[in-house]
Amino acid sequence: MDPCLLTGHGLGQRVRLKARPAGRGSVQVIAAAETLVTASGDLDMNEKKARRFQQQAETVVATQKAFLDACRQDLTYTARWYQVLRRLRERRFLREQADR
């Protein structure tokens, strides 16, 4: 259910982003995730020049912050009354099934 779930086997490999079905803000989250993956892939751990490495690391940190901000925005939607009611009914049903 987490709209900001990155799955994969490392930053350099395939990344899948699950977004909330309503799609509100998910385009921004996916764009931020792609930027983060690109910046992380560009980070050269064997960089000889300290200034260049520092610049790459700062870029990764900045894109990570942008990604997290996009996720936070995506998570701050207000649920509709019927969505809340559906969740309550679902929980009640599951509790009743567990008691049997």
Side-chain angles (χ1 to χ4, degrees), residues 16-42:
R16 188 179 81 219
L17 184 70
K18 293 183 178 181
R20 191 174 64 250
R24 243 174 104 191
S26 61
V27 173
Q28 291 85 357
V29 172
I30 292 171
E34 289 173 352
T35 305
L36 175 59
V37 170
T38 301
S40 298
D42 291 344

Short mmCIF file of all heavy atoms in Angstrom, two decimals, residues 16-42:
data_model
loop_
_atom_site.label_atom_id
_atom_site.label_comp_id
_atom_site.label_asym_id
_atom_site.label_seq_id
_atom_site.Cartn_x
_atom_site.Cartn_y
_atom_site.Cartn_z
N ARG A 16 11.31 -0.51 -9.54
CA ARG A 16 9.87 -0.42 -9.79
C ARG A 16 9.27 0.46 -8.71
O ARG A 16 9.55 0.28 -7.53
CB ARG A 16 9.24 -1.80 -9.76
CG ARG A 16 7.78 -1.77 -10.21
CD ARG A 16 7.17 -3.15 -10.19
NE ARG A 16 6.78 -3.45 -8.83
CZ ARG A 16 6.91 -4.63 -8.26
NH1 ARG A 16 7.43 -5.64 -8.91
NH2 ARG A 16 6.53 -4.83 -7.02
N LEU A 17 8.45 1.39 -9.10
CA LEU A 17 7.83 2.31 -8.16
C LEU A 17 6.34 2.06 -8.17
O LEU A 17 5.69 2.14 -9.21
CB LEU A 17 8.12 3.76 -8.56
CG LEU A 17 7.61 4.81 -7.60
CD1 LEU A 17 8.41 4.75 -6.31
CD2 LEU A 17 7.73 6.18 -8.21
N LYS A 18 5.79 1.75 -7.01
CA LYS A 18 4.35 1.56 -6.89
C LYS A 18 3.74 2.88 -6.44
O LYS A 18 4.16 3.46 -5.45
CB LYS A 18 4.03 0.49 -5.85
CG LYS A 18 4.48 -0.89 -6.25
CD LYS A 18 4.06 -1.87 -5.19
CE LYS A 18 4.46 -3.26 -5.60
NZ LYS A 18 4.06 -4.24 -4.60
N ALA A 19 2.76 3.34 -7.17
CA ALA A 19 2.09 4.59 -6.82
C ALA A 19 0.65 4.32 -6.45
O ALA A 19 0.07 3.31 -6.84
CB ALA A 19 2.16 5.57 -7.98
N ARG A 20 0.07 5.22 -5.70
CA ARG A 20 -1.32 5.10 -5.30
C ARG A 20 -2.21 5.06 -6.53
O ARG A 20 -2.00 5.80 -7.48
CB ARG A 20 -1.68 6.30 -4.41
CG ARG A 20 -3.00 6.15 -3.73
CD ARG A 20 -3.27 7.27 -2.75
NE ARG A 20 -3.37 8.55 -3.43
CZ ARG A 20 -2.48 9.52 -3.33
NH1 ARG A 20 -1.42 9.38 -2.58
NH2 ARG A 20 -2.63 10.65 -3.95
N PRO A 21 -3.24 4.20 -6.57
CA PRO A 21 -4.08 4.05 -7.76
C PRO A 21 -4.74 5.34 -8.23
O PRO A 21 -4.95 5.53 -9.42
CB PRO A 21 -5.13 3.04 -7.33
CG PRO A 21 -4.55 2.34 -6.17
CD PRO A 21 -3.61 3.29 -5.51
N ALA A 22 -5.04 6.25 -7.32
CA ALA A 22 -5.69 7.49 -7.73
C ALA A 22 -4.79 8.32 -8.63
O ALA A 22 -5.27 9.14 -9.41
CB ALA A 22 -6.09 8.31 -6.50
N GLY A 23 -3.48 8.10 -8.55
CA GLY A 23 -2.55 8.77 -9.44
C GLY A 23 -2.23 10.20 -9.06
O GLY A 23 -1.52 10.88 -9.78
N ARG A 24 -2.74 10.66 -7.94
CA ARG A 24 -2.47 12.03 -7.52
C ARG A 24 -1.01 12.18 -7.13
O ARG A 24 -0.56 11.64 -6.14
CB ARG A 24 -3.34 12.35 -6.30
CG ARG A 24 -4.30 13.44 -6.53
CD ARG A 24 -5.18 13.58 -5.33
NE ARG A 24 -4.77 14.74 -4.58
CZ ARG A 24 -5.21 15.01 -3.37
NH1 ARG A 24 -6.02 14.19 -2.76
NH2 ARG A 24 -4.82 16.09 -2.75
N GLY A 25 -0.26 12.93 -7.90
CA GLY A 25 1.13 13.18 -7.59
C GLY A 25 2.07 12.05 -7.97
O GLY A 25 3.26 12.17 -7.80
N SER A 26 1.56 10.95 -8.45
CA SER A 26 2.43 9.82 -8.74
C SER A 26 3.40 10.13 -9.88
O SER A 26 4.49 9.58 -9.92
CB SER A 26 1.61 8.58 -9.06
OG SER A 26 0.81 8.79 -10.19
N VAL A 27 3.03 10.99 -10.79
CA VAL A 27 3.93 11.37 -11.88
C VAL A 27 5.16 12.07 -11.30
O VAL A 27 6.29 11.79 -11.70
CB VAL A 27 3.21 12.28 -12.90
CG1 VAL A 27 4.18 12.81 -13.93
CG2 VAL A 27 2.07 11.54 -13.55
N GLN A 28 4.94 12.93 -10.32
CA GLN A 28 6.07 13.62 -9.69
C GLN A 28 6.95 12.64 -8.92
O GLN A 28 8.17 12.76 -8.92
CB GLN A 28 5.57 14.72 -8.74
CG GLN A 28 4.93 15.89 -9.44
CD GLN A 28 3.46 15.68 -9.77
OE1 GLN A 28 2.89 14.63 -9.53
NE2 GLN A 28 2.84 16.70 -10.34
N VAL A 29 6.33 11.67 -8.25
CA VAL A 29 7.09 10.69 -7.49
C VAL A 29 7.93 9.83 -8.42
O VAL A 29 9.11 9.59 -8.17
CB VAL A 29 6.15 9.81 -6.63
CG1 VAL A 29 6.92 8.67 -5.98
CG2 VAL A 29 5.46 10.65 -5.58
N ILE A 30 7.35 9.39 -9.51
CA ILE A 30 8.09 8.55 -10.46
C ILE A 30 9.23 9.34 -11.10
O ILE A 30 10.34 8.84 -11.24
CB ILE A 30 7.13 7.98 -11.52
CG1 ILE A 30 6.20 6.96 -10.85
CG2 ILE A 30 7.90 7.33 -12.66
CD1 ILE A 30 5.07 6.49 -11.72
N ALA A 31 8.98 10.60 -11.45
CA ALA A 31 10.03 11.43 -12.03
C ALA A 31 11.16 11.65 -11.03
O ALA A 31 12.35 11.57 -11.39
CB ALA A 31 9.46 12.77 -12.48
N ALA A 32 10.82 11.89 -9.77
CA ALA A 32 11.84 12.08 -8.73
C ALA A 32 12.63 10.80 -8.51
O ALA A 32 13.84 10.84 -8.29
CB ALA A 32 11.19 12.55 -7.44
N ALA A 33 11.95 9.65 -8.57
CA ALA A 33 12.64 8.36 -8.39
C ALA A 33 13.61 8.11 -9.54
O ALA A 33 14.73 7.63 -9.32
CB ALA A 33 11.63 7.23 -8.30
N GLU A 34 13.19 8.42 -10.75
CA GLU A 34 14.08 8.23 -11.91
C GLU A 34 15.30 9.13 -11.81
O GLU A 34 16.42 8.72 -12.11
CB GLU A 34 13.31 8.49 -13.20
CG GLU A 34 12.30 7.40 -13.51
CD GLU A 34 11.41 7.74 -14.69
OE1 GLU A 34 11.46 8.88 -15.19
OE2 GLU A 34 10.66 6.85 -15.12
N THR A 35 15.09 10.36 -11.36
CA THR A 35 16.21 11.29 -11.18
C THR A 35 17.16 10.78 -10.11
O THR A 35 18.38 10.85 -10.27
CB THR A 35 15.69 12.69 -10.80
OG1 THR A 35 14.76 13.11 -11.79
CG2 THR A 35 16.82 13.69 -10.71
N LEU A 36 16.61 10.24 -9.03
CA LEU A 36 17.44 9.69 -7.95
C LEU A 36 18.25 8.50 -8.44
O LEU A 36 19.45 8.39 -8.14
CB LEU A 36 16.57 9.29 -6.76
CG LEU A 36 17.28 8.59 -5.60
CD1 LEU A 36 18.37 9.48 -5.01
CD2 LEU A 36 16.27 8.20 -4.53
N VAL A 37 17.65 7.61 -9.18
CA VAL A 37 18.36 6.44 -9.69
C VAL A 37 19.47 6.87 -10.64
O VAL A 37 20.59 6.34 -10.59
CB VAL A 37 17.38 5.46 -10.37
CG1 VAL A 37 18.11 4.37 -11.12
CG2 VAL A 37 16.44 4.85 -9.34
N THR A 38 19.19 7.85 -11.48
CA THR A 38 20.21 8.36 -12.41
C THR A 38 21.38 8.98 -11.65
O THR A 38 22.55 8.71 -11.95
CB THR A 38 19.60 9.40 -13.37
OG1 THR A 38 18.54 8.77 -14.09
CG2 THR A 38 20.64 9.93 -14.34
N ALA A 39 21.06 9.83 -10.66
CA ALA A 39 22.12 10.48 -9.88
C ALA A 39 22.93 9.46 -9.10
O ALA A 39 24.16 9.58 -9.00
CB ALA A 39 21.50 11.50 -8.92
N SER A 40 22.27 8.44 -8.56
CA SER A 40 22.99 7.39 -7.82
C SER A 40 23.89 6.58 -8.74
O SER A 40 24.98 6.18 -8.35
CB SER A 40 22.00 6.47 -7.12
OG SER A 40 21.23 7.20 -6.19
N GLY A 41 23.42 6.36 -9.96
CA GLY A 41 24.23 5.63 -10.93
C GLY A 41 25.43 6.43 -11.40
O GLY A 41 26.46 5.87 -11.75
N ASP A 42 25.31 7.75 -11.38
CA ASP A 42 26.41 8.62 -11.81
C ASP A 42 27.48 8.79 -10.73
O ASP A 42 28.56 9.29 -11.01
CB ASP A 42 25.88 10.00 -12.21
CG ASP A 42 25.05 9.95 -13.48
OD1 ASP A 42 25.14 8.94 -14.22
OD2 ASP A 42 24.31 10.92 -13.74
#
